[in-house]
Amino acid sequence: MPPKDGKVEVRLEALRALRRGELPAVTTEARRLWQEGRQPATIRVRRAYLRNHELKSVEDERKPLPMEERPLAARMITPKGVALKLHLMMLFAAQCSAKPGKAWKNPYPVEPTPQSDHSWVGLIATIARYRGPGIQGASVATNKRRQVTEALKKLEGLNLIRPTKGPGRGRQGFDLLHENGKSTPAAGVPYTVPADGEPFVKIPREVFTEGWVLVLTNSEIAALLMWLDALEHDRMGTSDPSLFITRVTSAVRQGAYGLGREAYETHQQLDAFQLLDVLRPEKRGYDGRWQEFAQDSSDLACHRVALTPNGFSRDAGEVVQEVLQRRDALGDWSRPPNAPRRYWRIALHKPERGPNDRHEGRRSDLDLERKHGMVVDSSE
């Protein structure tokens, strides 16, 4: 019997409570919001929200980027806060109402009112238990409002929202600001839906309508944004014309996306949830270790990642709970035995340098792979 993982047990208990509580109602509300609105197939998020324009220098994992140099999404990775989830839900709601290039003129109130069909409290699910009577006791509703209030303070501090009633009064109403991080307390840039010509990453709408944004951890969400961005803007083809893959090196993960090793390791969870297909080089195991390691081995390569077809179309709560239960019992992140995996390994071949490559300086392995090709082995 593998040793128990306390974090997994706590997460599993919290998810069960969430599914018994408000998760179904909040997911239904998000689905209704989409159905009654413009029904965008994907939600656009500007790249500056999750990726630095210029690659920052990071010495090693023990000395990560200072918080102020990380992209906004990475600054909201906290164990319990809901700021990242709430803000993404705001972007989803805005794009259900406004066209690309347009502003959202009628944002929802924080709490329900007789005049509004939707509210931010109604579009976010939190673990807020009743802890009994007494001076320190608080109702579930009070605890939830407290979490939402803290999230609004975080978003105000990052200049992603501007309270309409004055600083620190976001619960009384706010305007949504541009997610590129250019706003300041003195001059806020109003939010507009990203237009066609802008650089953005596309999030499947099912991330919101099937509850994924509510049940994934902040680290998993931030890593998922990184992979979606890389698959959109830095992908490569394979011998299978239907499969596109990408990779993110340690330098890019840290210096561009501002994510540490812990966030990167969530590829195991995202693969177990069947959202990503993680394609591992032949000599690299699930734990990242190499067989027959040599310092200058030509086989050294990052995991390659592909998007799993229709992975987000399933009920997030059900999928994640099943995986957590298996992780708690078996001690590893794995898919069900009968789960499909179209591509189970990737055979990387050393890119052959042509005569012109010798004089092109330090070209990345991915650039060479694009030029010279690679082989993907598939198994049904």
Side-chain angles (χ1 to χ4, degrees):
M1 178 68 68
K4 293 288 185 178
D5 186 326
K7 292 183 179 179
V8 172
E9 287 186 286
V10 170
R11 182 179 180 184
L12 182 56
E13 179 188 357
L15 179 57
R16 286 169 174 159
L18 204 60
R19 294 189 70 197
R20 291 192 302 266
E22 61 184 12
L23 181 60
V26 173
T27 304
T28 299
E29 186 77 357
R31 194 174 295 122
R32 182 169 71 92
L33 178 66
W34 182 84
Q35 290 172 344
E36 295 176 353
R38 299 189 61 256
Q39 301 185 5
T42 59
I43 304 304
R44 301 176 173 186
V45 179
R46 291 177 173 90
R47 297 189 78 194
Y49 180 72
L50 57 111
R51 195 184 196 283
N52 288 326
H53 179 67
E54 296 182 356
L55 185 67
K56 306 286 185 179
S57 177
V58 178
E59 294 182 14
D60 56 47
E61 296 284 355
R62 293 168 295 180
K63 296 181 180 180
L65 278 182
M67 188 64 68
E68 64 274 9
E69 293 186 17
R70 301 178 193 179
L72 292 171
R75 298 188 209 179
M76 289 186 275
I77 299 178
T78 57
K80 296 182 179 180
V82 297
L84 178 58
K85 300 181 180 187
L86 179 59
H87 188 250
L88 289 174
M89 189 63 81
M90 291 176 182
L91 301 184
F92 166 73
Q95 295 181 39
C96 285
S97 299
K99 298 179 181 180
K102 302 298 182 180
W104 187 26
K105 298 181 180 179
N106 299 301
Y108 304 129
V110 176
E111 299 188 56
T113 68
Q115 293 77 33
S116 177
D117 290 339
H118 303 285
S119 68
W120 298 124
V121 169
L123 285 167
I124 194 73
T126 65
I127 298 296
R129 299 183 181 89
Y130 176 61
R131 300 190 180 279
I135 297 176
Q136 299 298 323
S139 69
V140 171
T142 299
N143 281 329
K144 182 174 183 177
R145 283 195 294 270
R146 183 181 297 121
Q147 292 186 54
V148 171
T149 298
E150 291 302 315
L152 293 175
K153 290 179 180 178
K154 179 72 172 180
L155 296 178
E156 181 182 356
L158 294 174
N159 297 310
L160 290 170
I161 64 170
R162 178 174 52 193
T164 54
K165 302 295 183 181
R169 302 171 70 181
R171 271 186 57 182
Q172 299 180 35
F174 60 85
D175 292 325
L176 193 58
L177 299 180
H178 206 286
E179 82 271 37
N180 65 358
K182 300 299 183 182
S183 295
T184 66
V189 181
Y191 174 79
T192 57
V193 177
D196 290 344
E198 297 184 68
F200 54 78
V201 59
K202 293 182 287 189
I203 304 176
R205 63 93 174 171
E206 292 88 354
V207 170
F208 305 92
T209 58
E210 296 301 326
W212 293 100
V213 73
L214 303 172
V215 303
L216 295 179
T217 67
N218 288 323
S219 291
E220 289 165 355
I221 292 172
L224 179 61
L225 292 176
M226 175 186 74
W227 292 120
L228 290 174
D229 179 71
L231 283 165
E232 179 74 21
H233 297 282
D234 195 25
R235 70 180 187 177
M236 61 178 296
T238 67
S239 58
D240 183 333
S242 69
L243 174 66
F244 293 92
I245 62 175
T246 192
R247 73 163 186 179
V248 177
T249 65
S250 175
V252 172
R253 167 175 55 81
Q254 297 179 82
Y257 296 100
L259 301 181
R261 184 73 185 180
E262 182 177 352
Y264 177 77
E265 291 298 336
T266 64
H267 71 264
Q268 298 177 82
Q269 292 96 294
L270 297 174
D271 182 276
F273 300 152
Q274 300 179 65
L275 300 178
L276 300 177
D277 274 324
V278 178
L279 311 174
R280 296 169 176 84
E282 288 180 319
K283 293 186 178 182
R284 191 168 192 170
Y286 279 72
D287 60 359
R289 297 180 181 178
W290 285 85
Q291 304 171 22
E292 304 173 6
F293 174 81
Q295 186 63 40
D296 53 355
S297 170
S298 63
D299 287 329
L300 289 179
C302 300
H303 289 140
R304 267 55 173 177
V305 168
L307 197 63
T308 304
N310 304 315
F312 295 101
S313 62
R314 300 159 299 144
D315 180 86
E318 179 180 347
V319 172
V320 173
Q321 181 172 322
E322 190 273 338
V323 171
L324 291 177
Q325 290 172 167
R326 187 166 53 255
R327 173 67 172 82
D328 191 44
L330 303 178
D332 62 359
W333 296 105
S334 59
R335 296 182 177 186
N338 60 345
R341 184 188 291 277
R342 293 187 305 157
Y343 309 99
W344 66 278
R345 72 187 175 119
I346 187 167
L348 298 177
H349 295 271
K350 181 179 179 181
E352 298 180 2
R353 295 179 180 270
N356 295 329
D357 295 332
R358 299 172 185 173
H359 306 288
E360 293 182 12
R362 292 185 176 179
R363 300 188 64 188
S364 72
D365 292 339
L366 193 56
D367 288 336
L368 290 170
E369 288 164 7
R370 286 196 180 93
K371 183 174 181 179
H372 300 292
M374 63 193 307
V375 175
V376 173
D377 294 336
S378 63
S379 176
E380 297 296 340

